Amino acid sequence: MKNIKNLFLITLISLAVTSCFKDEDDIIVSETEKTEEINDFVWKAMNSWYNWQDLVPDLADSKADDNSTYQAYLNQYSSPENLFNSLIYQTDVVDRFSWFIEDYIEQEQAFQGISKSFGLRFQGVQINTEGDVIIYVRHVADDSPASAANINRGDIINAINGTVLTTTTYNTAINGLYQDDVTLSFVSENAGTLTAIEDKTITSAVISENPVYLTKVFSDIDGKKVGYLVYNAFRSSYNDELNDAFGFFKDQNISELVLDLRLNGGGSVETSVYLASMIYANANTERFAELIFNSKQQDENDYYNFANTLNVYNSDSERTGTQTINRLSTLNQVYILTSGNTASASEMIINGLAPYMPVKLIGTTTYGKNVGSITLYDSPSSDYLNQSTANSSHLNALQPIVFQIYNKNGDSDYADGFIPNLAEIKESDYWNVTLPFGDENEAILKTALDDIRGISGRSTVTKQGDFKLLKTPLTGNKFENEMYINSDFISR
């Protein structure tokens, strides 16, 4: 833009040289003022809503008492995101969750499962003492680039973009799975030996992933009908699909339910309430969860009770109607399959149902997130809650932690995650025999079915080894481990 303006000034020779300098200064001041304006929004919104506001010295109310000192403080930060990050309480220790949003429209689409990706979820495993590493495919989204390339759960990959995976190369090579294109090298395994099969190159695309991935009924597990649901995210635009799944279970008259939340990092608190209301036979208007806000927002403390109807939303998060909840009246307990990716709204299900019915956990310790967030916009007149009145000059927003969640009994002590209480089984120990979701012999599912059969609560599938699980992000997006409310909760 600057070059175009200079060319224009050179062409109009009659203009004074000083005019050029003045115009350039105006541009610089304009950008600076914009940053200062957004910085002001960041600080004031965090001062009003942040869960740990009283523990962050720079968020003390007195910080804004003197305007010139306050402005000087804001001007220390060259970007609003830097300011936001400086206000996080004990980053990576206490608050691992809050984040700055560059584009809130893109963020809202991501909350509903609309994002650009390969449609692939994976896990890295060190398979021997020599440092060899593979990633196995945990899940492939329907109608995604990965499914189009005929990639399946259980497939084994030992190279990314030509780089063979080892403990030395893994952390760098794995970044290839977050680019627009990637070439994956697939192998088979036999007695510890990997044999090359083929390479596949896939290109990311915008997909809309239905979190209700698999609904199945096992018709005769020791004479019982067992419902099985793979549910991968609490996305409110799929509330009706979730309700349909329970309508199917209801029609089938199941007596046991296995809820597979191994890939479910959370999402909408409201949708979590609806799912619990489908599971608990005696649900009516009893308390399911309590949300507690900071000392400045105590008027917003409120409860979620079990529901009898649910809201239906479109992909733009607009309410389009309601439905009667398909509640099961035949369950005395629920089995939940867990992993380290089971987080937030998924853990809310475990914590919220525990006072009402036995919740049997199988898998590995959950993520550990007993706090949730709300999206804050640059809309001071609404206390930063209303998108429609947000400053139209930018799309920045905040997703800070603003509440802690408790169950009926006041329990919220699971910041370190829920430990499986029936059987602890690592899916990664079966990386070379990973079966499809819904296969009766799949290691984690089989343990639940065996318990229903009356067999001891442990896996009867032969363990393949004791392998080292490598830290692998579920996706490149923080919202995958999120639990959030919308402004409707505040205004109700």
Side-chain angles (χ1 to χ4, degrees):
M1 185 70 182
K2 178 180 174 182
N3 290 338
I4 294 173
K5 182 169 282 190
N6 285 342
L7 179 61
F8 182 68
L9 289 172
I10 291 170
T11 303
L12 300 178
I13 300 175
S14 60
L15 290 178
V17 173
T18 55
S19 297
C20 176
F21 288 126
K22 185 177 185 297
D23 286 346
E24 289 184 348
D25 286 344
D26 286 344
I27 294 171
I28 294 171
V29 169
S30 177
E31 289 302 314
T32 300
E33 287 177 344
K34 183 177 179 180
T35 298
E36 290 174 353
E37 185 178 64
I38 301 174
N39 280 353
D40 184 58
F41 148 58
V42 169
W43 188 89
K44 288 179 177 176
M46 291 288 280
N47 169 265
S48 181
W49 286 99
Y50 189 47
N51 188 63
W52 295 281
Q53 180 265 338
D54 59 339
L55 297 177
V56 179
D58 279 344
L59 282 176
D61 292 351
S62 59
K63 197 77 174 177
D65 286 349
D66 180 80
N67 187 61
S68 60
T69 303
Y70 172 66
Q71 292 300 326
Y73 161 70
L74 295 183
N75 292 342
Q76 296 178 68
Y77 297 93
S78 59
S79 76
E81 185 171 10
N82 287 342
L83 171 59
F84 177 82
N85 291 336
S86 76
L87 299 173
I88 300 302
Y89 179 62
Q90 295 188 18
T91 307
D92 296 328
V93 178
V94 176
D95 186 2
R96 301 169 283 158
F97 317 111
S98 299
W99 77 91
F100 183 86
I101 299 171
E102 292 287 351
D103 184 333
Y104 59 73
I105 295 176
E106 181 180 334
Q107 178 68 74
E108 286 159 6
Q109 291 176 333
F111 277 144
Q112 299 305 336
I114 302 170
S115 62
K116 189 175 183 181
S117 75
F118 300 120
L120 182 70
R121 303 196 193 188
F122 56 91
Q123 179 61 62
V125 181
Q126 181 180 333
I127 61 174
N128 55 38
T129 57
E130 286 73 41
D132 292 325
V133 170
I134 59 90
I135 61 175
Y136 71 91
V137 177
R138 300 186 70 195
H139 172 66
V140 176
D142 292 334
D143 301 319
S144 66
S147 65
N150 197 31
I151 298 173
N152 298 294
R153 172 172 160 84
D155 285 351
I156 302 168
I157 298 163
N158 82 323
I160 299 175
N161 292 328
T163 300
V164 175
L165 299 176
T166 66
T167 51
T168 302
T169 65
Y170 175 78
N171 287 335
T172 299
I174 206 73
N175 290 327
L177 283 164
Y178 302 111
Q179 308 305 314
D180 286 339
D181 301 277
V182 68
T183 298
L184 304 173
S185 299
F186 292 84
V187 296
S188 61
E189 185 275 342
N190 184 37
T193 300
L194 303 179
T195 303
I197 300 176
E198 62 178 324
D199 289 355
K200 293 181 180 181
T201 299
I202 53 177
T203 300
S204 62
V206 175
I207 64 173
S208 181
E209 184 177 353
N210 184 348
V212 184
Y213 180 73
L214 177 65
T215 306
K216 182 174 182 176
V217 170
F218 297 94
S219 59
D220 186 10
I221 303 296
D222 196 31
K224 299 176 182 178
K225 281 191 174 183
V226 179
Y228 175 63
L229 174 65
V230 180
Y231 185 53
N232 292 334
F234 290 82
R235 293 178 182 143
S236 59
S237 58
Y238 291 92
N239 286 346
D240 45 346
E241 282 84 354
L242 179 61
N243 203 32
D244 288 345
F246 276 79
F248 171 67
F249 289 148
K250 194 172 181 178
D251 290 342
Q252 292 292 310
N253 197 33
I254 66 168
S255 57
E256 299 283 359
L257 175 66
V258 179
L259 181 60
D260 197 333
L261 300 180
R262 280 177 281 178
L263 296 177
N264 195 319
S268 166
V269 168
E270 183 182 72
T271 300
S272 182
V273 175
Y274 295 154
L275 176 57
S277 301
M278 296 171 193
I279 294 171
Y280 177 45
N282 297 319
N284 188 14
T285 56
E286 296 94 340
R287 187 169 301 167
F288 174 65
E290 180 180 8
L291 278 63
I292 302 296
F293 291 76
N294 70 22
S295 60
K296 305 184 75 171
Q297 298 289 351
Q298 287 294 291
D299 288 346
E300 307 303 340
N301 294 347
D302 207 345
Y303 306 98
Y304 271 109
N305 294 331
F306 288 101
N308 294 311
T309 60
L310 59 78
N311 292 321
V312 178
Y313 299 92
N314 62 22
S315 59
D316 294 322
S317 301
E318 299 168 336
R319 191 165 72 93
T320 59
T322 61
Q323 289 184 357
T324 300
I325 282 177
N326 288 316
R327 176 171 298 130
L328 301 179
S329 60
T330 52
L331 300 183
N332 296 315
Q333 61 185 2
V334 62
Y335 293 83
I336 298 182
L337 310 187
T338 65
S339 76
N341 297 126
T342 304
S344 301
S346 288
E347 293 171 305
M348 179 182 172
I349 286 286
I350 298 168
N351 195 52
L353 284 177
Y356 296 98
M357 63 193 304
V359 180
K360 296 186 175 183
L361 306 181
I362 303 168
T364 52
T365 301
T366 63
Y367 186 75
K369 187 169 185 287
N370 59 355
V371 289
S373 68
I374 195 169
T375 306
L376 300 179
Y377 305 93
D378 190 356
S379 176
S381 62
S382 70
D383 201 6
Y384 310 99
L385 297 173
N386 194 337
Q387 183 195 125
S388 65
T389 58
N391 187 335
S392 61
S393 70
H394 66 89
L395 292 175
N396 293 160
L398 313 179
Q399 197 72 33
I401 296 300
V402 300
F403 65 86
Q404 185 165 341
I405 201 154
Y406 299 78
N407 68 10
K408 169 191 174 182
N409 296 335
D411 296 329
S412 183
D413 187 19
Y414 56 94
D416 294 325
F418 287 102
I419 299 171
N421 56 15
L422 182 62
E424 187 165 3
I425 307 169
K426 293 193 296 182
E427 182 188 82
S428 57
D429 285 344
Y430 303 88
W431 63 268
N432 50 354
V433 288
T434 302
L435 297 176
F437 287 118
D439 189 306
E440 193 171 332
N441 291 308
E442 192 269 324
I444 317 296
L445 172 59
K446 189 175 188 301
T447 303
L449 298 179
D450 282 349
D451 191 72
I452 294 169
R453 292 184 179 103
I455 300 173
S456 175
R458 59 180 176 79
S459 177
T460 57
V461 179
T462 303
K463 186 176 178 181
Q464 300 299 300
D466 190 10
F467 302 100
K468 183 178 180 181
L469 191 69
L470 299 181
K471 186 177 180 180
T472 304
L474 188 59
T475 73
N477 300 300
K478 284 189 175 184
F479 64 84
E480 285 290 354
N481 288 331
E482 188 47 46
M483 175 168 58
Y484 61 88
I485 55 173
N486 55 33
S487 57
D488 289 346
F489 177 85
I490 303 297
S491 63
R492 65 182 186 170

